[in-house]
Amino acid sequence: MKTKIFNTDKENLIEAADIIKNGGLVAIPTETVYGLAADGLNKKAIRKIFEAKNRPMDNPLILHISRIDEIHRLIKEIDKKHLEILSKLWPGPLTVILKKSEIIPDEISAGLDTVAIRMPRLDITRAFIYLCGTPLAAPSANLSTKPSPTNAQDVFEDMDGRIDAIIDGGASDIGIESTVLDLSQDIPKILRPGFYTKEYLEQYFEKIEIDNAILKEGEVPKSPGQKYKHYAPNAKVIVLMGDDDSFRKEVKNILSSQKNVGIMTFDNDRDQYDNENIIYMGSKNNLSTMAKILFKSFRKMDENGVELIVVRGVEEKGLGLSIMNRLKKAASNNIREI
Ligand code: TXA
Ligand code: MG
């Protein structure tokens, strides 16, 4: 199949919406990462997503909606207070898990009795969902295990010939996925840390817990997706935890003994190393740049033929928790204290 690239003009969106209505696959921009969308109520279309991505069938999908009212037919019930909070946090990088209604296909929920729902922030995404007239199932638009795509070109690399079309809406603002918050239990629980941090969500919810599996190894995660290897570039990844000086020393050690090394560090490391492949990820005091370019940087390192990527690790709090969650998976837990 030939994969079409659309821009965000109305005629293009209408043509892309027709593809969805006919059971096809269209990659869509969102504020977090690009998604691979299909009609979320059409079983056959949903199965195509799993095939195109090589995604295990036991990993459930998020349904994307364009207006908050659309949530009601997809779920059994929602606490009134929670609905009010959602009306403040949506549209945005937050996915909620609720008990599902009968109309949710098993292919969406992977056999669970819950469903994941999100209303994306990017206007063009919501306009597109609205045109499709159905909730859109959309996992990140990468091949399974690869870094999530944050622009149309990265989607094309993974999905050319595997999907009907890509809507090019420019680079994703945020760069890492939404926070997955389970509202199906008494106390809201973060199942996947994302752009909205625990601290941020605590301004809205009385109490928030974090799934143990995110904090500790060896626990069984409640979100099926968390158990898979993920986000991995072809190059080997090592994450170094330590202060500026020990990081610099260790990187210089590695550079003296190995070839084709790529470095991902912060702006205050400029002019420290004599190495071709270095990506600076903004200030270490504001991790939003690191989040934004993390996946893109992995892909760039692969393009440049890097064999080992050395990344400066960050403290596991706030956005740092979400970033380290991705880094640990990308590095297959190759994290070193220095
Ligand atoms: O930012 C995002 O969330 C992006 C954009 C495209 O919206 N989407 C995304 O989807 O990251 P995906 O499929 O790559 O990740 C969805 C995560 C997986 O870890 C999955 O296991 C979890 O949400 N999930 C989905 N339904 C669930 C459910 N009913 N219970 C627990 N976890 C669920
Ligand atoms: Mg994903």
Side-chain angles (χ1 to χ4, degrees):
M1 124 188 0
K2 175 125 179 60
T3 301
K4 280 191 181 170
I5 312 264
F6 290 124
N7 65 25
T8 55
D9 292 350
K10 186 96 193 254
E11 316 81 76
N12 281 321
L13 294 186
I14 290 172
E15 197 180 330
D18 280 337
I19 296 176
I20 295 281
K21 290 177 193 164
N22 289 318
L25 299 182
V26 178
I28 56 171
T30 87
E31 80 279 27
T32 55
V33 301
Y34 271 65
L36 179 52
D39 177 348
L41 300 177
N42 174 341
K43 288 167 179 275
K44 241 170 107 184
I46 301 162
R47 277 191 224 117
K48 288 187 195 164
I49 292 183
F50 287 90
E51 273 165 41
K53 277 183 62 96
N54 286 331
R55 180 175 173 113
M57 287 295 291
D58 68 346
N59 193 2
L61 303 175
I62 300 172
L63 287 181
H64 295 68
I65 58 177
S66 62
R67 286 174 307 129
I68 194 160
D69 305 347
E70 292 169 56
I71 198 174
H72 297 293
R73 67 180 182 128
L74 306 175
I75 59 171
K76 268 218 170 99
E77 60 194 354
I78 181 165
D79 185 296
K80 212 169 146 239
K81 260 194 292 174
H82 287 169
L83 190 61
E84 264 167 39
I85 298 173
L86 278 187
S87 70
K88 292 183 190 140
L89 290 171
W90 275 355
L94 177 71
T95 296
V96 295
I97 308 288
L98 289 156
K99 289 271 186 293
K100 67 175 189 180
S101 73
E102 305 77 58
I103 69 166
I104 305 298
D106 275 340
E107 284 80 356
I108 289 288
S109 50
L112 302 173
D113 64 352
T114 51
V115 61
I117 304 176
R118 165 163 126 79
M119 177 155 81
R121 182 185 287 160
L122 203 63
D123 290 343
I124 211 75
T125 319
R126 291 201 314 287
F128 180 65
I129 300 169
Y130 184 77
L131 280 175
C132 293
T134 182
L136 295 185
S140 49
N142 50 289
L143 284 173
S144 229
T145 80
K146 290 283 152 209
S148 301
T150 51
N151 57 71
Q153 187 56 41
D154 290 353
V155 176
F156 190 75
E157 254 167 45
D158 280 18
M159 292 297 163
D160 181 24
R162 303 173 79 92
I163 63 175
D164 298 288
I166 302 171
I167 298 173
D168 185 349
S172 297
D173 255 1
I174 289 178
I176 60 169
E177 298 87 348
S178 63
T179 304
V180 177
L181 184 69
D182 186 358
L183 295 180
S184 72
Q185 311 284 322
D186 287 343
I187 300 175
K189 190 184 262 186
I190 293 176
L191 305 187
R192 176 179 70 183
F195 188 72
Y196 277 169
T197 61
K198 177 170 187 274
E199 294 77 5
Y200 180 75
L201 293 174
E202 273 166 352
Q203 298 175 33
Y204 295 87
F205 295 92
E206 256 163 53
K207 193 167 179 205
I208 303 251
E209 292 178 341
I210 299 187
D211 190 16
N212 273 333
I214 293 167
L215 304 168
K216 267 190 278 165
E217 248 148 78
E219 302 269 333
V220 178
K222 215 185 147 203
S223 177
Q226 289 289 314
K227 68 176 183 268
Y228 295 108
K229 182 182 158 122
H230 248 111
Y231 314 121
N234 298 324
K236 199 176 148 196
V237 178
I238 174 170
V239 180
L240 300 181
M241 308 293 299
D243 59 23
D244 286 353
D245 283 344
S246 36
F247 182 78
R248 284 172 196 158
K249 219 166 117 195
E250 187 55 28
V251 169
K252 283 170 192 166
N253 262 338
I254 294 173
L255 289 175
S256 67
S257 61
Q258 283 199 54
K259 281 208 179 91
N260 291 328
V261 175
I263 304 164
M264 289 167 59
T265 184
F266 293 108
D267 286 354
N268 66 330
D269 257 3
R270 277 185 199 276
D271 303 326
Q272 285 291 327
Y273 317 104
D274 177 22
N275 192 54
E276 208 174 310
N277 289 297
I278 307 184
I279 293 175
Y280 299 103
M281 308 180 293
S283 159
K284 64 177 176 177
N285 300 317
N286 176 357
L287 297 181
S288 57
T289 304
M290 183 177 192
K292 183 168 177 164
I293 67 171
L294 187 69
F295 292 138
K296 175 80 214 157
S297 302
F298 284 157
R299 285 178 180 262
K300 182 111 202 128
M301 291 290 185
D302 276 346
E303 264 166 51
N304 291 356
V306 164
E307 284 164 27
L308 173 69
I309 306 173
V310 183
V311 190
R312 175 90 188 256
V314 295
E315 201 186 334
E316 280 182 272
K317 66 163 211 239
L319 192 52
L321 179 69
S322 313
I323 289 173
M324 285 303 290
N325 171 267
R326 276 49 173 193
L327 283 180
K328 283 177 181 171
K329 289 173 199 288
S332 305
N333 275 319
N334 194 358
I335 315 281
R336 249 176 44 212
E337 298 283 342
I338 44 168

